[in-house]
Amino acid sequence: MDITYKNKKIEKVCTDAKTAERTYGREMADKIHQRIDEIDAADTVEMMIQFHIGRCHPLMQNRKGQYAVDLVHPYRLIFEKNGDEIQIANILEIVDYH
């Protein structure tokens, strides 16, 4: 899938290892970049859900239409898909929504 970002701040965290480590710590930075690589390698969000890549799952209620993958507990990487034929994952945020 192609990847876009909600804003420059989240893009910098997801694409620059030093920024991610400075913001979230080494373990979290490693996990963020692992998940970004997994999203990039996947063909569709449905494939990620089917094969449990990163425990990808759709969200409900006020986050309907968004998906989450696990990071370091309790944090999740939240994204939404744009397009049906060629899917684009739009990374929204890193958050503990529990």
Side-chain angles (χ1 to χ4, degrees):
M1 280 186 285
D2 293 327
I3 299 175
T4 61
Y5 299 91
K6 181 179 177 181
N7 55 45
K8 291 288 185 192
K9 181 180 178 188
I10 193 74
E11 181 177 5
K12 187 112 172 134
V13 167
C14 292
T15 58
D16 181 47
K18 289 233 183 262
T19 302
E21 189 173 336
R22 193 170 37 249
T23 306
Y24 292 103
R26 184 173 185 91
E27 183 182 7
M28 182 79 143
D30 290 345
K31 194 59 83 169
I32 290 168
H33 290 123
Q34 175 187 346
R35 296 302 184 218
I36 293 296
D37 290 344
E38 290 170 350
I39 292 169
D40 187 42
D43 293 329
T44 65
V45 173
E46 289 75 16
M47 183 181 109
M48 291 184 68
I49 293 169
Q50 178 183 357
F51 294 108
H52 306 289
I53 298 171
R55 277 198 48 214
C56 184
H57 56 280
L59 300 177
M60 307 293 175
Q61 296 179 7
N62 63 334
R63 290 189 176 268
K64 190 170 179 76
Q66 296 178 356
Y67 300 85
V69 289
D70 287 354
L71 295 173
V72 176
H73 187 73
Y75 290 94
R76 305 289 189 269
L77 179 70
I78 309 299
F79 66 97
E80 60 189 5
K81 71 176 184 177
N82 294 337
D84 290 325
E85 304 261 334
I86 299 173
Q87 291 191 1
I88 300 170
N90 184 35
I91 308 296
L92 300 174
E93 61 186 330
I94 296 169
V95 67
D96 172 14
Y97 57 75
H98 295 107

